[in-house]
Amino acid sequence: MSDALSFFFLLMSNGVMIGLMYSLIALGFVLVYKATDAVNFAQGEFVMIAALAVALSMLAAGAPLWVAILVGIAGMIMFGFALERVVLRKLIGRPVIAVVMATIGLASILRGVGPTFFGAGTKNLALPISDEPFVIGPLFIPPIQVLGATVSVVFIGAFGWFFLKSRKGIAMRAVADNQQVAMAMGINVQRYFGLAWAMTGIVSALGGIIWGSMLGVDVNLALVGFKVFPVVILGGLDSIPGAIIGGLIVGLVENVAAGYVDPYVGGGTKDFAPYVLMILALMIRPYGIFGKRIIERI
Amino acid sequence: MRFYLAILTTLMLAGGGLFGTLPATAQSKGEVVIGLQCDRTGATQIVGTVLCPGFHDYIALVNSKGGVEGYTIKALEIDHEYKVPPAVESYERHKKEGAVTMAIYGTPHIYALAAKLTEDRIPGTSPGFGSAAAADGIRYPYIFPIAATYWSQGAAAVDFVKKQLGGSLKGKKIAFIFYDNPAGREPIEVLEDLAKIEGFELKQFAVPPPGVEMGAQVLDIAQRFRADFVIGHLFGGAPAVSIKEFKRVGYPLRKFVSFVWGSAEANIDAAGGFGVAEGYYTMQFAGVGQDYPVLNEIREMYKKQGKPAPKEMASTVFYNRGVLIGALHVEAIRNAIKLKGGGKITGVDAKAGFEKISNFTLGGLVPPLKITATDHEGGGLVQIWQVKGGKFEKVTDWYSAYPDVVAKHIKAAAAK
Amino acid sequence: MIQRECGVLKTSYEADMALYPLPIARWTVAALAVIFFVVLPLTLHEYYLSIGNLVWIAVIGALGLNILVGYTGQVSIGHGAFMSVGAYTAANLATRLDSPWPVNLLAGGLMAAAVGAVVGIPSLRIKGLYLAIATLAGQLIIEWIINHVTFISGGVQASIEVARPRLGPIVLSSQRQMYFFLLFFVVLAIVGTLNLVRSRIGRAFIAIRDQDIAAEIIGVNIFRYKLLAFAISSFYAGVTGVLYTYFLGIANYEQFQINVSIDYLAMIIIGGLGSVLGSVLGAMFVTLLPIVIRLGMEAFGGVFLAPQTVLNLIPNLRLMMFGALIIFFLVVEPEGLNRLWRNIRNYFRIWPFAY
C-alpha cells in the first residue's frame, strides 16, 4: 500500500479513536444538560479531579488498580451529589448565564485544589496496558486508544438505553422538559438533579482514568474540557448519539487538518478547524445535528 | 439587608487594614531587593514550582553566609499565573519595593516588560527563553538573557544532530516540533538558515498550545515524513505528552533532542518515568544532578536548621536552574557593590554588575559565561544529557555552535 | 431620610431628559469626579496608580461586553480577540505609518467593530449557548490569524513595540500621566454608554434581549441591531486593546486569549448584567481581587506557615478564592454588585421608614 494512502488510513484511525474518547467527556456534559438544562463549563476539571483521585489512591495509598477505580467512581458520585446540593440547588430558576458562571467559578476552585493539597507535579496513572501499538496492516493503534474507544461506546450505549427505556431515565427527561409539570406528576425533581450530576461524575471518572493515563494527571488535564465544546455543539447539546457523532467528526477533522492543511499554512489549524466546521453546521442546523429544536413562544 | 451591610463593612475594614500593613517601601540600609516573577499555577507550573524554590534557597544560602559585601539580599516573589497583566502589576510592585534587578519569567512577559525595564533602567533577566535578539546589549541595554537563547539552542541542537548522524547533514530530514506561539517559533529562522547551510530538509510541526494532544503531528513525523532526527521545543505539559506519543508510534527516543524546557525530571516523570523515556536527549543550560558543591551547601544549611532538604531539590534540572539564576543575580549585585565602592546600588549599577560577569561557574553548575556590554547572552553555552539507565547521563560538555550564524541574526534583528 | 425626588421640578424637556436630573445625583457625581481626578492621583503611590490604570482599562472593556451581553442578550466569549484586533491595528499603524495616537485609537476601534460585526453574523440564526461557542470559534480563529499572518503580527515574535502617546510636547510615560489619559477615556465611555442605552438604539437592544421575536414583529430590524450591538461592543473592545497597548508599550496577542474573555464575562456577571454601574463595579472587583488576596496572604500568611509554603499556597488559594467568591456572589445575589448597591441605596432612600 502506498505511503500516502497508508498515512491517510493512519490519520483516519487516529481520528476515530481520539474522537470516541472525546465523546466520553462530551457525554458528561450532555448528561447534565439533558437532565438539568445546566451548562457545565467545568467538565475538564471534573475529569482532572477524578483522575487525581484515582492516581492518588494508587500512588499514595498503594491501592491496586480496581480499588482505585472504584474509589474514583464513588468519590465522583458523592462529589456530584454534594455539588448539586450545595451550589446548584440555589441556582435553580436563575438565567442560564448564572449557572454557566457558577461552573466557571467551580472550575477555578478545582484547579486550585489539586496543587494546593497534592503538589503541582504530574502524577502518573499506570494502567496495565502496554505502550506498544497494535499493528493491523498499515495501522498503528495504541492499546490505550482501543480501551478508551470501547469504554466510550459501551457507556454511551448504556446511557442512551437508560434515558430511552428505563423508568428513571424517562423521569429525568420529563424533569428536563418541564420541571413544574414533572413535580406535579410526583417526580422528586431535586433527587433527579442530584442523580444527573452523579452520572456526570461517573462518566468523568472514566474519562479521567483514560485521559489521565494518556496525558498524565496534572492541571493541564483540565484542558481537554475545551475540546468538548465543538463536539457537543455539532452533535446537539442534549443528544447522546450526537455526542458520538460529534466526537467522531471532531476527531476526524482535527487529524485531517493537522495532516493535510497544516503543511500549507504553517501549522496550528488543528485546534480551530472543528470550530470552523461547527459554525458552518450551525448555520444549517442551529441546534446541532441531533439537537432538540427549541420552540420559542411569545 | 443587615447581612449585606455587615459583609460590606467587614470588607472595607479588611481592605483598610490590609493597606495599612504593607511593608515599608524601598530598601532599608543594608538590604538589596531582587524582584522575582514566577508561575506556580499557570501553564508552566511544572517549572515554576521547582525553579523558584531553587532561587530562594540560593538567596537564603548567601544570606546565611553574611550576605553580599555586608548587604542582605531580599528576593520578593510574585506569581503571575503565566498571564501578562499580573506580571505588569508585579513589576510595578517590585519597583515600589526598590528592586534593583528583576528575574522575569516567561517569553510574552519579557516582551511586555522590555520597554518598561529600559525606561526605568532596571536590568531584567530572561534565561533560556525569549527574546533572542536581546543578546545585543547595545540595542537592549537592560535585558539580559544570561543563558543560551532559543537561537543559540537551535544552533546547538543542529550541531548535536550533525554529530549524531555521522558528521554530515546533507540530504537528511530533521523535524522540528514546537509550540505554536511566538516562543515556539523563535528558533525557526535560525534553523531554516542552518538548513540551507548544511543542506538538510527541515519540516516544521506546530502543536497548538496547550499541547495536550498531538497524535497527528507525531504520526506525520514518524510515518509520513520519516524524520532522521527530531528537535523538540515544547514546554509545560507538552514534552511529557510528546514522549508518550512518540513511543506509541514506535519512534525511537534516541533520535529526539529537546530544548531546555522539555528536559527535566519533572517532564520525564510526567511521561511515566525514566524507564519509559530511555534514550531521550535533553539540552541543559545549567548543570544536572545533585553533585555540586553549592547544592551540598544548601543541604547543609537546611540540616543546620533542623529541616530536611526540600523535595524540590530532587527535581535537579529546574531546581539547579533556579540556583543558577539566583547566583547570577547575586554575582551581578556583588560586582555592582564593588564597583560603587560599597555604597547603595541602583538598577544602573546592577546593569554594569551583570556586564562584568565572567568565569563564574559555581563548581560547574553555571556554564563559563562571559557577559559584556555588547553580549548579554554570555556565549550561548549548553550541555546535552541523555536519559540512560534510569537517570541522566552527561553526553557533552559546555559548547555552543554556529556563533557566526546566530550573530548574523542578532545583527539583523537589531537593525529593524 | 434622603428625599431625592422631592421638590425637583423641570421646566423644559432637555432638563427632564438630562443624564442626572436630581441635584443629589449631580453632587454625587461631582464628588466622585473630585476623588478620582484630584484626590487619588495626588496622594497615591505610583504602584497603586498602576493598579488603577489596569482597572480603568478593564472598565472600558467591561462596558463594551455588557452592551452586548447585558443589554442585547447575546452571549459572547470572543471579547479578547476583538481587543487584540484593535491592539494590532493601532500598533501596525503606529509603526508603519507613524500616525498619531488619536488616529490609531479610532482606527483600532473601527477595525475591531468591523471584525465584530462579521463574527456577529451567525447571531441571526444561532442563539444562546450555541452562539456563545460560535463566538469562541471567532476568538480562536482571530488568534490564529494574528499568530500566523506576519503582515499583521510583525514577525515571529508577534509583538509590536509602540511608542508612548504624546500630547503635544508631553510624552505620557509615567503611571500618573497614564492615569489621567485613561480616566479621560473611561469617562467618555461611561457617559457614552449611559446615553446609548437610553436612546432608540439602546431600547432596540433591550427589546431584542427580552423577546426578540416580538421585537421583530413590532418592527425592530433585529439583524441590523444585533450586528450593531456586536459592532459597538467590539469597538469598545478595540479601544480597550489599543489603550492596553499604549499602557504596556507593546502589542502581543498572548495577552488577549480566552482567559481574558472569560475574565470579562466574570466582571459583568458579578457586576450585574445590563447596568453601567455594574460593569464598573464588576471590573474593579475582578481586577482588584487577585491583588487584594495576595496582599492579604502576604500580610497574614506569614503568621501560620513557612514562607515557601505561603508562596506555593498564595497563587492556588487565589484561584480557589476567585472561584469561591464568584459562586458566593451568584448564590447570594445573582444580579450582581449593581443590585447590591441598589438595595443599599433604596434602604437609605426611605430610611427610617420600611417602605
Side-chain angles (χ1 to χ4, degrees), chain B residues 82-403:
Chain B
Y82 211 77
K83 289 190 204 158
V84 173
V88 175
E89 185 255 320
S90 18
Y91 170 83
E92 292 290 336
R93 177 81 199 281
H94 287 144
K95 208 171 76 168
K96 170 171 168 292
E97 303 290 336
V100 295
T101 64
M102 303 267 192
I104 310 291
Y105 180 116
T107 308
H109 309 86
I110 187 70
Y111 277 114
L113 292 172
K116 279 191 195 285
L117 284 166
T118 319
E119 255 170 32
D120 297 326
R121 293 192 293 186
I122 302 178
T125 59
S126 62
F129 48 90
S131 90
D136 183 343
I138 308 291
R139 173 87 166 70
Y140 295 95
Y142 283 89
I143 316 287
F144 287 87
I146 62 167
T149 61
Y150 288 142
W151 283 345
S152 304
Q153 290 176 33
V158 169
D159 184 76
F160 176 73
V161 173
K162 185 165 153 187
K163 292 200 181 67
Q164 291 291 72
L165 291 182
S168 160
L169 291 170
K170 236 176 163 47
K172 297 280 183 9
K173 293 196 262 193
I174 298 190
F176 179 59
I177 185 167
F178 63 103
Y179 241 27
D180 193 22
N181 59 21
R185 282 204 302 276
E186 197 160 71
I188 291 184
E189 51 180 279
V190 167
L191 289 174
E192 282 178 342
D193 213 2
L194 289 172
K196 280 201 232 68
I197 296 177
E198 293 282 352
F200 61 85
E201 186 190 344
L202 174 78
K203 196 140 186 252
Q204 308 164 19
F205 295 92
V207 172
V212 290
E213 207 269 302
M214 55 183 85
Q217 288 94 330
V218 171
L219 273 175
D220 199 348
I221 295 178
Q223 296 301 323
R224 185 159 72 157
F225 182 59
R226 293 190 202 270
D228 293 304
F229 219 94
V230 180
I231 302 181
H233 181 27
L234 299 166
F235 38 98
V241 178
S242 71
I243 294 179
K244 287 202 239 208
E245 291 279 358
F246 274 104
K247 272 206 85 100
R248 266 188 222 124
V249 297
Y251 190 86
L253 284 171
R254 55 181 169 68
K255 293 212 266 179
F256 191 113
V257 62
S258 165
F259 274 26
V260 300
W261 295 110
S263 51
E265 291 89 347
N267 299 115
I268 311 271
D269 283 334
F274 277 81
V276 170
E278 179 80 14
Y280 185 64
Y281 283 107
T282 66
M283 200 182 293
Q284 310 283 350
F285 70 83
V288 175
Q290 310 266 17
D291 210 6
Y292 293 97
V294 65
L295 295 178
N296 291 331
E297 287 178 29
I298 294 181
R299 272 187 281 263
E300 273 298 313
M301 178 182 77
Y302 271 100
K303 215 155 86 170
K304 275 206 211 100
Q305 294 174 2
K307 288 190 253 187
K311 55 177 167 51
E312 286 89 4
M313 284 190 90
S315 184
T316 65
V317 170
F318 290 142
Y319 185 85
N320 294 357
R321 286 182 198 174
V323 171
L324 177 145
I325 302 172
L328 286 171
H329 275 255
V330 166
E331 194 59 20
I333 291 175
R334 193 191 307 270
N335 291 341
I337 296 178
K338 283 205 203 130
L339 273 175
K340 208 124 184 235
K344 212 159 87 149
I345 57 171
T346 66
V348 183
D349 305 314
K351 165 189 184 294
F354 268 112
E355 287 165 350
K356 272 180 81 70
I357 293 183
S358 82
N359 282 324
F360 173 72
T361 57
L362 213 59
L365 189 85
V366 179
L369 302 165
K370 194 165 158 56
I371 303 183
T372 67
T374 47
D375 179 15
H376 280 185
E377 187 191 349
L381 299 160
V382 298
Q383 279 180 336
I384 305 280
W385 290 65
Q386 188 188 26
V387 176
K388 222 172 160 72
K391 56 184 182 58
F392 278 117
E393 256 193 31
K394 197 198 267 202
V395 175
T396 71
D397 215 339
W398 297 111
Y399 76 100
S400 72
Y402 301 104

